[in-house]
Amino acid sequence: MIESLFGWVSQPEAWLAFGTLLLLEVVLGIDNVIFLSILAGKLPPEQQQRARTVGLLAAMLMRLALLFSITWIYRLQDDLFTAFGMGFSGRDLILILGGLFLLYKAVKEMHEQLEGPGTHEANVVKQGTANFAATIAQIMLLDIVFSLDSVITAVGMADDIGVMVCAVVVTVGIMLVAARPIGDFVQAHPTIKMLALAFLLLIGVNLIADGFGLHIPKGYTYFAMGFAILVELLNMRARRGRPVDLHETQRHPDAS
Protein backbone atom coordinates (compact mmCIF):
# COMPACT_ATOMS: atom_id res chain seq x y z
CA MET A 1 0.00 0.00 0.00
CA ILE A 2 2.79 2.43 0.98
CA GLU A 3 4.71 1.51 -2.16
CA SER A 4 1.70 2.17 -4.40
CA LEU A 5 1.17 5.60 -2.85
CA PHE A 6 4.77 6.83 -2.64
CA GLY A 7 6.64 4.77 -5.22
CA TRP A 8 6.46 7.72 -7.64
CA VAL A 9 8.70 9.93 -5.43
CA SER A 10 11.88 8.65 -7.12
CA GLN A 11 10.55 9.34 -10.63
CA PRO A 12 11.32 12.87 -11.98
CA GLU A 13 8.49 12.75 -14.55
CA ALA A 14 6.03 11.92 -11.74
CA TRP A 15 7.05 15.11 -9.90
CA LEU A 16 6.22 17.12 -13.02
CA ALA A 17 2.77 15.50 -13.13
CA PHE A 18 2.36 16.13 -9.38
CA GLY A 19 3.22 19.83 -9.71
CA THR A 20 0.90 20.33 -12.68
CA LEU A 21 -1.94 18.47 -11.01
CA LEU A 22 -1.44 20.32 -7.72
CA LEU A 23 -1.64 23.69 -9.48
CA LEU A 24 -4.79 22.63 -11.32
CA GLU A 25 -6.39 21.23 -8.15
CA VAL A 26 -5.74 24.50 -6.30
CA VAL A 27 -7.34 26.50 -9.13
CA LEU A 28 -10.35 24.16 -9.21
CA GLY A 29 -10.54 24.36 -5.41
CA ILE A 30 -11.13 28.12 -5.54
CA ASP A 31 -14.77 27.43 -6.40
CA ASN A 32 -15.14 25.29 -3.30
CA VAL A 33 -13.45 27.82 -1.00
CA ILE A 34 -15.62 30.70 -2.24
CA PHE A 35 -18.84 28.74 -1.75
CA LEU A 36 -17.70 27.46 1.64
CA SER A 37 -16.65 30.94 2.82
CA ILE A 38 -20.02 32.47 1.94
CA LEU A 39 -22.00 29.72 3.64
CA ALA A 40 -19.77 29.66 6.73
CA GLY A 41 -20.03 33.45 7.01
CA LYS A 42 -23.75 33.11 7.83
CA LEU A 43 -22.98 31.08 10.96
CA PRO A 44 -22.19 32.53 14.40
CA PRO A 45 -18.48 33.56 14.59
CA GLU A 46 -17.58 30.70 16.97
CA GLN A 47 -18.86 28.10 14.46
CA GLN A 48 -17.39 29.49 11.24
CA GLN A 49 -13.91 27.96 11.48
CA ARG A 50 -15.34 24.58 12.47
CA ALA A 51 -17.65 24.67 9.44
CA ARG A 52 -14.72 25.47 7.12
CA THR A 53 -12.61 22.67 8.57
CA VAL A 54 -15.40 20.07 8.48
CA GLY A 55 -16.36 21.09 4.94
CA LEU A 56 -12.82 20.87 3.56
CA LEU A 57 -12.02 17.59 5.34
CA ALA A 58 -15.26 16.15 3.97
CA ALA A 59 -14.24 17.30 0.49
CA MET A 60 -10.86 15.58 0.89
CA LEU A 61 -12.40 12.29 2.05
CA MET A 62 -14.91 12.40 -0.78
CA ARG A 63 -12.21 12.98 -3.39
CA LEU A 64 -10.05 10.20 -1.99
CA ALA A 65 -13.02 7.83 -1.99
CA LEU A 66 -13.72 8.72 -5.63
CA LEU A 67 -10.06 8.25 -6.57
CA PHE A 68 -10.14 4.70 -5.21
CA SER A 69 -13.35 4.09 -7.19
CA ILE A 70 -11.94 4.94 -10.62
CA THR A 71 -13.86 2.10 -12.29
CA TRP A 72 -17.12 3.53 -10.96
CA ILE A 73 -16.06 7.01 -12.10
CA TYR A 74 -15.55 5.74 -15.63
CA ARG A 75 -18.96 4.06 -15.57
CA LEU A 76 -20.50 7.41 -14.61
CA GLN A 77 -19.48 8.70 -18.03
CA ASP A 78 -21.53 6.05 -19.86
CA ASP A 79 -24.92 7.25 -21.19
CA LEU A 80 -27.90 6.27 -19.07
CA PHE A 81 -30.61 7.51 -21.42
CA THR A 82 -31.17 9.66 -24.48
CA ALA A 83 -33.40 12.74 -24.68
CA PHE A 84 -33.79 15.29 -27.48
CA GLY A 85 -31.16 13.43 -29.45
CA MET A 86 -28.57 13.77 -26.65
CA GLY A 87 -27.16 11.12 -24.37
CA PHE A 88 -27.03 11.82 -20.64
CA SER A 89 -24.66 10.03 -18.26
CA GLY A 90 -24.59 9.92 -14.47
CA ARG A 91 -21.85 12.56 -14.52
CA ASP A 92 -23.99 14.82 -16.71
CA LEU A 93 -26.94 14.57 -14.34
CA ILE A 94 -24.76 15.34 -11.31
CA LEU A 95 -23.26 18.40 -13.04
CA ILE A 96 -26.67 19.69 -14.17
CA LEU A 97 -28.28 19.27 -10.75
CA GLY A 98 -25.22 20.72 -9.02
CA GLY A 99 -25.20 23.70 -11.38
CA LEU A 100 -28.89 24.37 -10.78
CA PHE A 101 -28.36 24.20 -7.02
CA LEU A 102 -25.42 26.59 -7.32
CA LEU A 103 -27.52 29.05 -9.35
CA TYR A 104 -30.31 28.85 -6.75
CA LYS A 105 -27.95 29.44 -3.83
CA ALA A 106 -26.10 32.32 -5.52
CA VAL A 107 -29.32 34.15 -6.47
CA LYS A 108 -30.80 33.54 -3.00
CA GLU A 109 -27.65 34.90 -1.30
CA MET A 110 -27.65 37.96 -3.58
CA HIS A 111 -31.29 38.62 -2.70
CA GLU A 112 -30.55 38.35 1.03
CA GLN A 113 -27.55 40.69 0.75
CA LEU A 114 -29.64 43.38 -0.94
CA GLU A 115 -33.13 42.86 0.47
CA GLY A 116 -32.32 41.17 3.77
CA PRO A 117 -33.27 37.63 4.88
CA GLY A 118 -36.90 36.60 5.01
CA THR A 119 -38.68 35.63 8.22
CA HIS A 120 -37.81 31.94 7.83
CA GLU A 121 -34.10 32.62 7.24
CA ALA A 122 -33.97 35.05 10.17
CA ASN A 123 -35.45 32.40 12.49
CA VAL A 124 -33.01 29.75 11.25
CA VAL A 125 -30.03 31.99 11.97
CA LYS A 126 -31.09 32.12 15.61
CA GLN A 127 -30.95 28.31 15.81
CA GLY A 128 -27.19 27.74 15.86
CA THR A 129 -27.15 23.93 15.78
CA ALA A 130 -29.80 23.55 13.08
CA ASN A 131 -28.13 26.22 10.95
CA PHE A 132 -24.72 24.55 11.34
CA ALA A 133 -26.12 21.17 10.27
CA ALA A 134 -27.88 22.73 7.26
CA THR A 135 -24.70 24.53 6.25
CA ILE A 136 -22.61 21.36 6.41
CA ALA A 137 -25.28 19.50 4.39
CA GLN A 138 -25.13 22.15 1.65
CA ILE A 139 -21.33 22.07 1.63
CA MET A 140 -21.37 18.28 1.31
CA LEU A 141 -23.87 18.46 -1.56
CA LEU A 142 -21.69 20.81 -3.59
CA ASP A 143 -18.55 18.88 -2.58
CA ILE A 144 -19.91 15.96 -4.59
CA VAL A 145 -20.07 18.09 -7.74
CA PHE A 146 -16.71 19.80 -7.25
CA SER A 147 -15.03 16.54 -6.23
CA LEU A 148 -16.37 14.66 -9.24
CA ASP A 149 -15.08 17.31 -11.64
CA SER A 150 -11.73 17.45 -9.83
CA VAL A 151 -11.24 13.68 -9.77
CA ILE A 152 -12.10 13.24 -13.46
CA THR A 153 -9.51 15.92 -14.24
CA ALA A 154 -6.93 14.21 -12.01
CA VAL A 155 -7.52 10.79 -13.60
CA GLY A 156 -7.04 12.32 -17.04
CA MET A 157 -3.74 13.98 -16.10
CA ALA A 158 -1.93 11.37 -13.99
CA ASP A 159 -1.61 7.60 -14.27
CA ASP A 160 -0.25 6.97 -10.75
CA ILE A 161 -2.84 6.80 -7.96
CA GLY A 162 -0.19 7.95 -5.47
CA VAL A 163 0.39 11.18 -7.40
CA MET A 164 -3.36 11.90 -7.42
CA VAL A 165 -3.81 11.12 -3.71
CA CYS A 166 -0.87 13.29 -2.64
CA ALA A 167 -2.03 16.17 -4.86
CA VAL A 168 -5.52 16.05 -3.31
CA VAL A 169 -4.20 15.93 0.27
CA VAL A 170 -1.75 18.81 -0.28
CA THR A 171 -4.46 20.85 -2.03
CA VAL A 172 -6.85 20.46 0.90
CA GLY A 173 -4.02 21.43 3.28
CA ILE A 174 -3.49 24.64 1.31
CA MET A 175 -7.22 25.33 1.29
CA LEU A 176 -7.45 24.78 5.06
CA VAL A 177 -4.82 27.49 5.57
CA ALA A 178 -6.34 29.86 3.00
CA ALA A 179 -10.05 29.37 3.81
CA ARG A 180 -10.16 31.59 6.90
CA PRO A 181 -8.37 34.67 5.47
CA ILE A 182 -10.35 34.36 2.23
CA GLY A 183 -13.59 34.03 4.18
CA ASP A 184 -12.80 37.00 6.43
CA PHE A 185 -11.83 39.13 3.43
CA VAL A 186 -15.01 38.24 1.53
CA GLN A 187 -17.23 38.96 4.56
CA ALA A 188 -15.51 42.29 5.26
CA HIS A 189 -16.00 43.66 1.74
CA PRO A 190 -19.58 43.59 0.39
CA THR A 191 -18.49 44.28 -3.21
CA ILE A 192 -16.09 41.31 -3.10
CA LYS A 193 -18.88 39.16 -1.69
CA MET A 194 -21.25 40.13 -4.51
CA LEU A 195 -18.44 39.47 -6.99
CA ALA A 196 -17.89 36.04 -5.43
CA LEU A 197 -21.62 35.28 -5.76
CA ALA A 198 -21.43 36.34 -9.41
CA PHE A 199 -18.56 33.86 -9.82
CA LEU A 200 -20.76 31.12 -8.38
CA LEU A 201 -23.44 32.02 -10.94
CA LEU A 202 -20.83 31.73 -13.69
CA ILE A 203 -19.58 28.40 -12.38
CA GLY A 204 -23.17 27.11 -12.11
CA VAL A 205 -23.81 28.01 -15.76
CA ASN A 206 -20.57 26.25 -16.74
CA LEU A 207 -21.61 23.09 -14.88
CA ILE A 208 -25.02 23.03 -16.55
CA ALA A 209 -23.49 23.64 -19.98
CA ASP A 210 -20.97 20.85 -19.38
CA GLY A 211 -23.78 18.54 -18.35
CA PHE A 212 -25.53 19.24 -21.66
CA GLY A 213 -22.37 18.49 -23.61
CA LEU A 214 -21.35 22.11 -24.25
CA HIS A 215 -17.80 22.34 -22.91
CA ILE A 216 -16.68 25.86 -22.01
CA PRO A 217 -12.86 25.96 -21.57
CA LYS A 218 -12.10 26.70 -17.92
CA GLY A 219 -9.39 29.12 -19.00
CA TYR A 220 -12.05 31.52 -20.28
CA THR A 221 -13.94 31.33 -17.00
CA TYR A 222 -10.92 31.84 -14.77
CA PHE A 223 -9.60 34.66 -16.97
CA ALA A 224 -12.95 36.47 -16.60
CA MET A 225 -12.87 35.92 -12.83
CA GLY A 226 -9.27 37.09 -12.57
CA PHE A 227 -9.99 40.22 -14.62
CA ALA A 228 -13.03 41.06 -12.48
CA ILE A 229 -10.98 40.64 -9.29
CA LEU A 230 -8.23 42.89 -10.70
CA VAL A 231 -10.76 45.64 -11.51
CA GLU A 232 -12.29 45.40 -8.01
CA LEU A 233 -8.85 45.53 -6.36
CA LEU A 234 -8.14 48.72 -8.31
CA ASN A 235 -11.49 50.11 -7.12
CA MET A 236 -10.60 49.20 -3.53
CA ARG A 237 -7.25 50.94 -3.93
CA ALA A 238 -9.05 54.04 -5.21
CA ARG A 239 -11.32 53.87 -2.15
CA ARG A 240 -8.19 53.39 0.01
CA GLY A 241 -9.40 50.01 1.22
CA ARG A 242 -12.67 51.29 2.66
CA PRO A 243 -15.49 48.77 2.12
CA VAL A 244 -18.67 49.88 0.39
CA ASP A 245 -21.79 50.03 2.56
CA LEU A 246 -24.90 48.62 0.91
CA HIS A 247 -27.77 51.05 1.17
CA GLU A 248 -31.46 50.19 1.35
CA THR A 249 -33.17 50.46 -2.02
CA GLN A 250 -35.47 53.45 -2.17
CA ARG A 251 -38.86 52.61 -3.68
CA HIS A 252 -40.98 55.39 -5.08
CA PRO A 253 -44.71 54.93 -5.69
CA ASP A 254 -45.76 54.89 -9.31
CA ALA A 255 -46.98 58.21 -10.49
CA SER A 256 -50.58 57.93 -11.57
Side-chain angles (χ1 to χ4, degrees):
M1 182 67 176
I2 299 297
E3 177 63 25
S4 64
L5 290 178
F6 299 102
W8 60 273
V9 174
S10 59
Q11 304 171 17
E13 64 276 8
W15 278 101
L16 179 60
F18 172 77
T20 305
L21 184 56
L22 177 63
L23 179 61
L24 187 60
E25 287 285 327
V26 170
V27 172
L28 291 174
I30 293 173
D31 311 345
N32 210 341
V33 171
I34 292 175
F35 181 77
L36 187 149
S37 299
I38 291 174
L39 285 182
K42 299 177 68 175
L43 293 171
E46 65 275 9
Q47 294 183 348
Q48 292 180 11
Q49 184 57 33
R50 185 155 61 101
R52 296 187 192 106
T53 302
V54 171
L56 288 173
L57 290 179
M60 182 184 72
L61 293 176
M62 200 168 300
R63 292 184 187 188
L64 292 178
L66 290 175
L67 279 175
F68 286 103
S69 307
I70 293 177
T71 304
W72 180 74
I73 291 292
Y74 278 121
R75 280 204 297 266
L76 272 181
Q77 301 182 68
D78 297 332
D79 288 348
L80 298 176
F81 62 91
T82 301
F84 309 107
M86 297 175 55
F88 291 90
S89 65
R91 172 184 176 272
D92 295 335
L93 296 179
I94 291 175
L95 293 180
I96 292 171
L97 293 176
L100 289 173
F101 178 72
L102 204 53
L103 290 181
Y104 164 75
K105 285 300 298 181
V107 171
K108 185 171 181 290
E109 292 293 331
M110 285 180 172
H111 181 271
E112 289 184 7
Q113 289 298 309
L114 296 174
E115 301 290 342
T119 305
H120 173 70
E121 287 80 5
N123 290 335
V124 170
V125 170
K126 296 177 182 179
Q127 302 171 4
T129 304
N131 194 38
F132 182 84
T135 299
I136 295 300
Q138 293 178 64
I139 291 172
M140 291 285 291
L141 185 60
L142 260 296
D143 275 345
I144 295 175
V145 180
F146 291 134
S147 297
L148 182 65
D149 195 31
S150 174
V151 167
I152 290 175
T153 302
V155 171
M157 289 191 61
D159 298 324
D160 196 316
I161 187 69
V163 173
M164 293 184 274
V165 168
C166 291
V168 168
V169 173
V170 174
T171 298
V172 172
I174 294 173
M175 290 163 62
L176 279 170
V177 174
R180 181 166 186 170
I182 289 176
D184 292 344
F185 184 75
V186 168
Q187 294 298 326
H189 297 83
T191 52
I192 291 291
K193 189 169 185 178
M194 293 301 291
L195 195 59
L197 290 170
F199 291 164
L200 291 182
L201 280 175
L202 183 59
I203 293 165
V205 171
N206 279 9
L207 290 175
I208 294 172
D210 200 358
F212 279 100
L214 179 61
H215 179 66
I216 302 174
K218 287 186 171 61
Y220 294 162
T221 301
Y222 288 115
F223 175 79
M225 291 168 62
F227 182 76
I229 291 174
L230 176 61
V231 171
E232 181 54 31
L233 290 177
L234 291 175
N235 286 334
M236 290 176 61
R237 183 180 178 86
R239 298 193 303 265
R240 298 180 182 178
R242 294 192 301 270
V244 172
D245 294 324
L246 295 179
H247 299 283
E248 184 179 356
T249 303
Q250 294 182 356
R251 295 182 175 84
H252 301 283
D254 296 331
S256 57

